[in-house]
Amino acid sequence: MESALIVSRTEKSTAFFLDVLRAASIHQTAAVSSCGEARRLLLERSFDLVIVNALLRDESGERFSRDIASTGTAQVILLVKNEYFDPVSAVCENDGVLTIAKPVNKTVFWSALMLAKSAHHKIRRVQAENARLQQKIKDIRIVDRAKCTLISRLGMSEQEAHRYLEKQAMNTRRSRREIAERIIEAYEN
């Protein structure tokens, strides 16, 4: 986790969050005092973590927190007054918002921050695996398309087309996808 956005209307709270973030080696930070400012900033750049200290000047922060958590990969920590904690937490937890009751001390906030960091790293690993699998699917589609081209243009059987691609890849020390792309380019254009 490298970057954080603090949405808080008080400078004292912002300073508190900045201290804890620095201790957690999160140095790329920005701070705004309203959800409107935060939304504009989020259109320009993304953050790994968004800390929302409710109530804000323009709204409570609950809807904003839920929107951010449900639409992107940013982790969201929402701080609410103790009397509102149970209903707000119940609504926000399904969207993945970590909710903390105020007043909050450094230990409690540190624990929530570490949970957010852990979730962030897990999401990044899942995204990387997803990207790898998506690439594998694309490769398989291109290889299958090349096999179909060999079958239709050269009258090979599926086994012969498969063997031809494998052998060409092995002999030329290239991937099956590269060989498949060359076949498609040669026969389909």
Side-chain angles (χ1 to χ4, degrees):
M1 189 174 282
E2 298 175 3
S3 61
L5 171 62
I6 300 166
V7 186
S8 177
R9 68 179 181 186
T10 66
E11 290 180 22
K12 183 180 175 185
S13 296
T14 300
F16 168 78
F17 298 132
L18 285 171
D19 285 343
V20 177
L21 291 172
R22 273 189 230 110
S25 299
I26 301 172
H27 300 288
Q28 297 175 24
T29 58
V32 295
S33 60
S34 70
C35 291
E37 291 175 280
R39 282 187 174 91
R40 285 189 289 281
L41 188 56
L42 286 166
L43 290 173
E44 296 171 14
R45 63 183 273 214
S46 62
F47 292 91
D48 299 326
L49 173 67
V50 178
I51 301 166
V52 181
N53 186 19
L55 290 165
L56 298 161
R57 284 188 286 157
D58 52 353
E59 60 182 278
S60 70
E62 173 195 325
R63 177 90 234 142
F64 171 74
S65 298
R66 292 173 62 207
D67 289 345
I68 298 306
S70 64
T71 58
T73 60
Q75 297 299 302
V76 180
I77 299 176
L78 173 64
L79 293 95
V80 297
K81 286 187 177 181
N82 192 39
E83 59 262 24
Y84 303 121
F85 176 77
D86 288 332
V88 171
S89 179
V91 171
C92 291
E93 70 184 15
N94 289 335
D95 292 310
V97 176
L98 293 169
T99 310
I100 303 174
K102 293 193 292 187
V104 65
N105 63 36
K106 210 171 204 172
T107 305
V108 170
F109 185 72
W110 180 263
S111 296
L113 182 59
M114 292 303 107
L115 286 171
K117 281 182 89 169
S118 176
H120 174 75
H121 291 302
K122 185 168 184 142
I123 287 170
R124 292 289 182 180
R125 281 193 308 273
V126 169
Q127 286 176 326
E129 178 68 9
N130 187 29
R132 187 186 69 74
L133 292 172
Q134 291 292 333
Q135 185 60 48
K136 195 169 185 173
I137 289 169
K138 287 178 186 175
D139 292 349
I140 290 169
R141 285 183 178 149
I142 289 173
V143 168
D144 284 348
R145 187 170 153 202
K147 284 181 192 178
C148 289
T149 300
L150 291 172
I151 291 167
S152 66
R153 299 287 179 137
L154 301 180
M156 292 183 179
S157 69
E158 186 176 351
Q159 281 184 330
E160 291 170 331
H162 179 77
R163 235 176 292 135
Y164 178 81
L165 281 167
E166 291 287 326
K167 187 170 179 159
Q168 288 298 312
M170 198 167 44
N171 290 344
T172 61
R173 294 189 177 144
R174 298 194 186 278
S175 69
R176 289 187 317 147
R177 180 182 176 141
E178 288 178 88
I179 300 301
E181 287 172 339
R182 289 182 178 190
I183 289 169
I184 292 168
E185 186 179 309
Y187 288 103
E188 290 188 1
N189 290 332

